[in-house]
Amino acid sequence: MNTTIYYFSATGNSLMVAKDLSEQLTDSKIVQISKKNMSISKDTKSDKIGFVFPVYNFGIPVMVKNFIENLQLSKHTYIFTIATCGGMIGAALDQMKKILNKKGIKLAASFSVFMPGSDQLMFQTVSEEEQNKLFKNEKEQVYTIASAIKNGQYVEYKTNAIMSPVYNLLYTATFRPKAMGKNFWTDEKCIGCGLCSKVCPASNIVMYEGKPKWDNQCESCLACMQWCPQKSIQYKKATVKKGRYHHPDIKVNDLIQKS
Ligand SMILES: Cc1cc2nc3c(=O)[nH]c(=O)nc-3n(C[C@H](O)[C@H](O)[C@H](O)COP(=O)(O)O)c2cc1C
């Protein structure tokens, strides 16, 4: 039984889940969802396929949606999905189920894993103590998830008929990632190292005259801001007084797109 785990990750939370899961499943590999990998258009060979991704504004990242819509899958493959989130899963798993249903594919199992929140546009970072609790919990949860996947278990995701439309509405009304690029700026601490450009999964940042310049393909993931070694990247005024977060056991090189 071979398993392919496709992941989208900015701070490393989802990558950690994908890696931990892969370690527990025999004959499995992890594949990044990123601009350079959008050309992957078929996977009818894997026996099991998983998608691991973060929740953004109660829904799923645009790149993950586009990737799955573009991916040819077999009806006989066991498909599972894991959403990592900072506390509110919203309509993410519901949206995933619908995207697959439209392709005539049944989602076999859905899970959510709580991780430190990466939305520093809205919230402050969580304390180190809280992070450690979440990391411990993640390992335990992934262990349970792995055993369900090994057994080919069906884990039905039940749509909340009342809340789901509300979350979908909030997602549609508030999630405008492509328009975000113009709101990033760097303060005087920027040394022009270019790491932000390298870690962007959407290849949306170019270095111009030694400084980053954001285009209009932002995914809203905040990898640029979270990994900036100088903490010099800001989004409007929203992030000036906020901390920065990335998973301590993930190296930035693991997130940089490989061609
Ligand atoms: C723009 C943005 C919006 C987010 N919205 C939500 C949300 O609606 N609900 C939630 O629980 N977490 C939300 N989060 C937190 C992330 O889903 C969570 O921290 C996730 O584990 C990040 O994974 P990654 O670092 O692998 O991308 C948001 C994060 C960002 C950057």
Side-chain angles (χ1 to χ4, degrees), residues 15-175:
L15 174 55
M16 194 75 247
V17 169
K19 276 186 167 197
D20 285 342
L21 182 62
S22 180
E23 262 178 35
Q24 298 197 34
L25 302 173
T26 44
D27 197 11
S28 75
K29 64 172 178 184
I30 61 169
V31 178
Q32 187 183 31
I33 297 177
S34 65
K35 176 83 187 285
K36 287 183 184 159
N37 275 345
M38 289 305 278
S39 55
I40 301 175
S41 60
K42 191 174 179 181
D43 187 344
T44 47
K45 294 265 158 49
S46 307
D47 299 307
K48 293 181 181 176
I49 291 177
F51 300 102
V52 185
F53 62 91
V55 175
Y56 290 160
N57 293 35
F58 310 106
I60 76 173
V62 172
M63 190 177 272
V64 174
K65 178 177 184 282
N66 292 342
F67 182 84
I68 299 172
E69 281 176 347
N70 188 43
L71 188 66
Q72 192 187 327
L73 298 161
S74 159
K75 283 194 171 89
H76 307 292
T77 311
Y78 174 93
I79 310 271
F80 63 91
T81 187
I82 307 175
T84 74
C85 68
M88 189 158 289
I89 191 81
L93 292 173
D94 202 31
Q95 290 179 359
M96 188 58 97
K97 187 168 142 185
K98 282 191 188 133
I99 292 167
L100 288 163
N101 277 354
K102 262 195 189 167
K103 292 166 74 79
I105 304 286
K106 189 173 158 48
L107 180 58
S110 300
F111 310 92
S112 58
V113 177
F114 283 14
M115 291 296 258
S118 61
D119 185 3
Q120 272 67 66
L121 305 181
M122 295 281 284
F123 305 104
Q124 190 48 278
T125 47
V126 301
S127 70
E128 225 171 277
E129 193 187 350
E130 184 59 23
Q131 284 183 28
N132 289 333
K133 270 192 216 159
L134 290 162
F135 296 149
K136 187 169 173 278
N137 189 50
E138 178 262 332
K139 304 283 175 218
E140 289 165 8
Q141 249 189 297
V142 171
Y143 183 80
T144 312
I145 292 170
S147 101
I149 293 168
K150 277 184 218 165
N151 294 332
Q153 215 169 297
Y154 280 77
V155 182
E156 166 83 340
Y157 177 71
K158 288 197 182 65
T159 301
N160 181 326
I162 297 169
M163 286 315 289
S164 194
V166 177
Y167 290 134
N168 272 311
L169 204 68
L170 285 170
Y171 175 78
T172 317
T174 64
F175 197 46

Side-chain angles (χ1 to χ4, degrees), residues 105-251:
I105 304 286
K106 189 173 158 48
L107 180 58
S110 300
F111 310 92
S112 58
V113 177
F114 283 14
M115 291 296 258
S118 61
D119 185 3
Q120 272 67 66
L121 305 181
M122 295 281 284
F123 305 104
Q124 190 48 278
T125 47
V126 301
S127 70
E128 225 171 277
E129 193 187 350
E130 184 59 23
Q131 284 183 28
N132 289 333
K133 270 192 216 159
L134 290 162
F135 296 149
K136 187 169 173 278
N137 189 50
E138 178 262 332
K139 304 283 175 218
E140 289 165 8
Q141 249 189 297
V142 171
Y143 183 80
T144 312
I145 292 170
S147 101
I149 293 168
K150 277 184 218 165
N151 294 332
Q153 215 169 297
Y154 280 77
V155 182
E156 166 83 340
Y157 177 71
K158 288 197 182 65
T159 301
N160 181 326
I162 297 169
M163 286 315 289
S164 194
V166 177
Y167 290 134
N168 272 311
L169 204 68
L170 285 170
Y171 175 78
T172 317
T174 64
F175 197 46
R176 301 264 185 281
K178 305 289 179 224
M180 286 176 66
K182 59 181 182 297
N183 298 320
F184 287 100
W185 53 281
T186 52
D187 62 26
E188 68 295 340
K189 297 193 293 301
C190 176
I191 52 168
C193 69
L195 188 64
C196 50
S197 162
K198 290 189 194 138
V199 81
C200 174
S203 306
N204 190 47
I205 306 170
V206 289
M207 295 305 287
Y208 179 73
E209 294 181 347
K211 299 286 171 202
K213 200 168 164 276
W214 285 260
D215 203 353
N216 59 3
Q217 293 304 311
C218 182
E219 282 290 326
S220 163
C221 75
L222 306 183
C224 53
M225 189 189 96
Q226 301 289 18
W227 287 96
C228 172
Q230 297 295 108
K231 298 188 173 58
S232 84
I233 297 178
Q234 307 291 351
Y235 185 85
K236 294 186 180 172
K237 295 238 171 81
T239 55
V240 175
K241 293 194 174 137
K242 309 265 178 49
R244 300 294 186 261
Y245 166 80
H246 52 76
H247 197 295
D249 298 333
I250 294 292
K251 303 265 178 296

